[in-house]
Amino acid sequence: MGILSKSDRRERDAHSGHGVAIDHPVIRPWSPIVESPGRVVADRALGERLWDFDGTEYIDASSLNAACGYGRPEVVAAASDQMARLQGIDLSMHDHDIAGLLARRLSAHLPHGLSRILFTNSGSEGIEAACFIAASYYAHIGRPRTRVVTFARGYHGSTTLARSLSQLPPTAHWFTDPLRVTPVTIPGTDRDARDPATTPLLLAAFAEAITQDPADLPMAVLVEPLINVGGGVVLPPGFLRGLRELCDEHGVLLIIDEVFTGIGRTGRMFGFQHEEITPDIVVSSKGLSGGYAPIAAVAIQDHIYRTFVDDAFFGGVRYGHTTSGHPVACAASIAVLDVIENDGLVENARIMGTRLLDGLASSTGHSLVRDVRGLGMLAILEMDGHDSATALAEGARKHGLLVRQQGPVVMVVPPLTADADVIDDIVSRMASALDGVEG
Ligand SMILES: Cc1ncc(COP(=O)(O)O)c(C=O)c1O
């Protein structure tokens, strides 16, 4: 029955309606203030399944975090053992091995050189730290720079700095921009973006943004390997490789935002590994702890880290949070990495992701579906507009399937553990939901 007292449960039950709405004083992140009818009031979850308070069962293909599924006993045990042993310590004052172990485990999956890891509590903080580190690096080497080139429709988080990197309307803010940002627009339609013919157009747009004033080169190009919130856009082959070459040519750092794509989601441990490049800085989060605890990791090249001894004020990295590298989050993340490695979940994401995409591809015949695309365990249905995407997500829920809807796009993101039966079940529930919308 969980940790709620009897009276807490009574109050919660009184406000929970029919498992789709709850009247409580929590401000829901990134949500309209008016109640959304499609919202599930989650109670418990196991594997790929989630139950609401009424006991209705759903397959959860909506969580970007649940890499190794819900309720893995080994992750729960690792986190609770760590909580009993040492629940927290300030890494700016003392040390603990568990953070070091996680850093080593993570850098073993990264290309050579990306060996220094800073932990934060969220993806946004990780992106903010990455930008701070990039600007510090240029200050340390005596060439101060603060401009960043990003995708106009990239999403990198909700702190002031992270949101200032994006041109997506909800990220607008009322503060002075902390960095100068040069946004790049994707040429053509989202559907055409993955076509190899887009690669030179995209690279030309980035080259223009980088060199627009040779006396004012950017400190970094910062991109997601696949655009998540900004429309579920799959980028074309050769793009990241070409971007790496452009950055090398102009002496610009390449920061890859793997907050969503990292830890197996795209069928490789990191999304940039599809292109076999070595970024200068990589930020990962969500799947890192599989949603069991908040954590993000900023991996930086050793040569960047070494310049910090020349920091004008400090001789170190002036960035962190009291809970950076939280021992419980680190223990959970190590256990998640164990599951991912031992169960071959990155390979499973590749194989089952293909099955998912192939299954959903038959939906392209529906008149309201503009495109079906994806990479690894991530499938995207682009609908003809916001309303049909909302109707599809709502229809899926009625068929016991939770998916994500962002504007005209519906994303299907099951845990990386999903097997053929779960995938086929998802495909058939989506087909029924689509038939309902078309009807
Ligand atoms: C690509 C990307 N970067 C950064 C973030 C921000 O991460 P967080 O919500 O943990 O702050 C997100 C969150 O959705 C994301 O998808």
Side-chain angles (χ1 to χ4, degrees):
M1 292 303 266
I3 55 164
L4 296 182
S5 71
K6 237 182 186 169
S7 65
D8 285 341
R9 287 187 71 84
R10 221 175 296 125
E11 185 182 357
R12 180 206 61 193
D13 291 347
H15 290 296
S16 70
H18 299 288
V20 294
I22 190 163
D23 176 19
H24 58 44
V26 173
I27 299 172
R28 298 175 186 95
W30 292 110
S31 296
I33 213 90
V34 177
E35 193 57 69
S36 124
R39 195 178 282 276
V40 164
V41 183
D43 184 33
R44 65 194 169 88
L46 192 65
E48 296 86 25
R49 285 166 207 268
L50 181 147
W51 288 265
D52 71 12
F53 276 140
D54 291 341
T56 308
E57 181 183 306
Y58 302 91
I59 297 179
D60 186 11
S62 70
S63 168
L64 306 178
N65 297 337
C68 64
Y70 291 105
R72 288 294 294 223
E74 54 277 65
V75 182
V76 175
S80 55
D81 286 356
Q82 184 60 45
M83 195 175 271
R85 188 183 183 87
L86 171 71
Q87 95 282 6
I89 193 161
D90 184 347
L91 270 183
S92 70
M93 292 285 295
H94 303 292
D95 232 331
H96 61 83
D97 272 355
I98 199 88
L101 182 56
L102 176 59
R104 279 193 292 275
R105 289 285 298 275
L106 199 55
S107 58
H109 286 284
L110 287 162
H112 181 72
L114 281 159
S115 53
R116 300 290 174 165
I117 314 270
L118 176 76
F119 290 114
T120 61
N121 304 305
S122 68
S124 306
E125 292 168 357
I127 291 294
E128 182 134 358
C131 290
F132 185 83
I133 287 168
S136 306
Y137 166 74
Y138 280 102
H140 298 157
I141 62 171
R143 286 190 273 138
R145 293 184 189 180
T146 54
R147 189 163 69 88
V148 185
V149 175
T150 62
F151 273 116
R153 279 201 280 141
Y155 174 75
H156 303 288
S158 66
T159 60
T160 304
L161 188 145
R163 71 196 306 144
S164 74
L165 298 168
S166 173
Q167 311 289 306
L168 292 172
T171 63
H173 62 84
W174 296 266
F175 312 111
T176 309
D177 278 333
L179 294 170
R180 284 171 310 127
V181 177
T182 310
V184 171
T185 307
I186 298 169
T189 64
D190 290 358
R191 182 184 173 160
D192 293 337
R194 64 185 179 279
D195 192 307
T198 308
T199 309
L201 304 177
L202 214 41
L203 287 175
F206 271 90
E208 162 72 26
I210 290 171
T211 59
Q212 60 181 28
D213 176 0
D216 179 28
L217 285 171
M219 64 178 193
V221 171
L222 194 164
V223 293
E224 301 160 75
L226 177 150
I227 294 182
N228 171 23
V229 178
V233 185
V234 178
L235 298 168
F239 165 64
L240 282 183
R241 219 169 308 126
L243 199 56
R244 175 72 275 182
E245 283 164 18
L246 264 178
C247 287
D248 287 344
E249 191 184 330
H250 298 288
V252 174
L253 296 181
L254 179 58
I255 305 175
I256 302 287
D257 179 346
E258 294 269 359
V259 167
F260 163 55
T261 47
I263 321 294
R265 175 57 61 189
T266 68
R268 298 295 300 265
M269 193 63 176
F270 292 96
F272 68 80
Q273 288 170 334
H274 288 278
E275 299 262 298
E276 287 169 11
I277 59 159
T278 300
D280 297 295
I281 303 181
V282 177
V283 183
S284 58
S285 182
K286 301 188 190 293
L288 177 59
S289 74
Y292 288 82
I295 190 167
V298 186
I300 68 174
Q301 289 272 358
D302 194 50
H303 75 91
I304 296 177
Y305 175 75
R306 276 188 270 114
T307 68
F308 277 80
V309 293
D310 296 328
D311 190 85
F313 301 97
F314 209 62
V317 179
R318 284 178 288 128
Y319 194 95
H321 304 276
T322 314
T323 46
S324 291
H326 192 276
V328 176
C330 289
S333 302
I334 291 167
V336 167
L337 281 178
D338 285 343
V339 174
I340 286 177
E341 291 168 11
N342 296 340
D343 293 3
L345 294 187
V346 179
E347 183 64 356
N348 192 62
R350 189 180 68 75
I351 296 168
M352 290 301 142
T354 305
R355 189 178 182 105
L356 176 64
L357 201 57
D358 289 349
L360 293 175
S362 55
S363 322
T364 37
H366 284 75
S367 62
L368 299 176
V369 180
R370 290 277 172 274
D371 190 26
V372 179
R373 51 182 181 262
L375 190 63
M377 197 70 98
L378 158 70
I380 298 147
L381 276 85
E382 186 184 324
M383 304 297 285
D384 74 337
H386 184 279
D387 289 351
S388 49
T390 308
L392 178 59
E394 180 58 12
R397 192 180 67 78
K398 287 186 180 137
H399 284 91
L401 174 67
L402 303 179
V403 293
R404 294 184 80 80
Q405 183 234 332
Q406 286 157 189
V409 154
V410 170
M411 280 193 178
V412 186
V413 272
L416 310 185
T417 46
D419 62 13
D421 289 343
V422 173
I423 295 294
D424 294 349
D425 205 350
I426 292 174
V427 169
S428 112
R429 291 177 200 218
M430 281 299 282
S432 308
L434 259 174
D435 288 343
V437 176
E438 297 267 336

